[in-house]
Amino acid sequence: MKSLFLIRHGKASLEGDEKDRGLTPEGETQANQLSALLLLLKPKIGEIYSSPYRRAILTAEPFSKSTEINIQIVEDLREKTMSTEPIEDLNKERRKMWDDFSYRLPGGETSQEVQDRAVVALQGIVKSMSSEGAACFSHGNLIGHVLKKFIPDFGFDDWRSMGMPDIYRLDYSDVSSNPAVTHVNCEGVDTFKISVNK
C-alpha cells in the first residue's frame, strides 16, 4: 500500500500574483509546526511533491530541510484557475462551480478539469513512489475537488470548513482503485479557516 499525505499550504500573503504569492509570518510559523508533525506520521514520508506555486513550496521547505528530501515540483498540483477576468462576486461563483462541475468562468478551469488533472497527477506520483509515504503540498480548491472524487457527498460547505494548513491521507491499495481517505488531525499546528460568506 502507498500513502499520500495531501497537504494544504499555510496562510498565504495577498501580495503578488497567483503563482508568486508567498506566506505571511503566520504561514511561516505554520510551515515549521507542520514539519514537526509530518515527522511523526506513519507511514514515514520518504518523498515530497509540491505545486509550482510559491506558497505551497514555502510550506514544504521546512520539512524538506529537516529531512534532506528534495521537493519535486508537479505542475498539475497547481491551484485551480478561476478566471482571467475580474470576478464581481467570487463566493457566488465558487458555489456555482461546486454545484456544477462543468461551469466555467472566462479563461478559467471547470471543477471537473481540475479534479481530472489532480487525480491523474496523484496516480502518477503513486506509480513512481519508491517509499511507502509521500507528502503532496497543494491548494484548497484542488484538494477539495480531489476529495469530492473519492467522497461524493463532499461539497461546498465541507470545502469551506477546511483548515489552512490541512492534511488528508489517501491510502492506495491499487493505483487504479479509489484510495481510502482519512482526515489527519493537525495537532500542534495553529490552523485557521478562511471566512467565506454564504
Side-chain angles (χ1 to χ4, degrees):
M1 185 175 70
K2 304 290 186 182
S3 297
L4 298 183
F5 294 96
L6 194 51
I7 303 162
R8 187 183 192 183
H9 62 77
K11 187 175 183 180
S13 169
L14 299 178
E15 298 179 5
D17 65 23
E18 178 67 358
K19 294 181 180 179
D20 295 329
R21 290 193 290 123
L23 298 176
T24 64
E26 182 180 352
E28 292 172 0
T29 297
Q30 291 170 336
N32 285 305
Q33 294 170 337
L34 194 59
S35 174
L37 173 61
L38 295 177
L39 288 169
L40 303 176
L41 297 183
K42 301 294 181 183
K44 183 177 179 181
I45 295 171
E47 296 163 48
I48 303 173
Y49 301 87
S50 177
S51 155
Y53 289 8
R54 188 163 174 258
R55 57 193 183 277
I57 295 170
L58 290 175
T59 304
E61 278 186 351
F63 183 62
S64 172
K65 289 176 181 176
S66 68
T67 58
E68 298 184 342
I69 300 171
N70 291 331
I71 300 170
Q72 301 180 60
I73 301 300
V74 178
E75 181 66 30
D76 283 340
L77 291 181
R78 68 188 183 278
E79 181 59 301
K80 178 181 189 175
T81 300
M82 293 293 292
S83 177
T84 54
E85 298 181 7
I87 303 171
E88 183 176 342
D89 188 339
L90 184 57
N91 294 332
K92 179 181 177 181
E93 298 297 343
R94 280 186 175 128
R95 185 177 283 278
K96 279 186 184 178
M97 297 182 98
W98 272 97
D99 291 340
D100 180 0
F101 262 44
S102 66
Y103 179 66
R104 184 191 307 277
L105 290 168
E109 296 177 283
T110 67
S111 296
Q112 190 63 59
E113 287 169 340
V114 175
Q115 185 184 79
D116 289 346
R117 70 166 161 85
V119 169
V120 170
L122 295 175
Q123 288 174 334
I125 289 170
V126 172
K127 288 178 182 177
S128 69
M129 284 171 61
S130 57
S131 55
E132 291 184 6
C136 301
F137 292 80
S138 189
H139 308 268
N141 277 303
L142 181 138
I143 293 172
H145 293 339
V146 168
L147 297 176
K148 175 72 172 176
K149 172 71 174 180
F150 305 130
I151 308 172
D153 290 340
F154 192 94
F156 176 84
D157 290 330
D158 299 297
W159 163 77
R160 191 179 59 173
S161 69
M162 287 172 59
M164 181 182 284
D166 213 337
I167 308 173
Y168 289 84
R169 174 175 161 169
L170 279 58
D171 292 324
Y172 289 81
S173 58
D174 186 307
V175 72
S176 61
S177 302
N178 286 350
V181 179
T182 307
H183 184 234
V184 177
N185 183 7
C186 289
E187 186 175 355
V189 182
D190 296 327
T191 62
F192 81 106
K193 295 179 181 180
I194 298 175
S195 177
V196 179
N197 297 326
K198 290 186 178 181

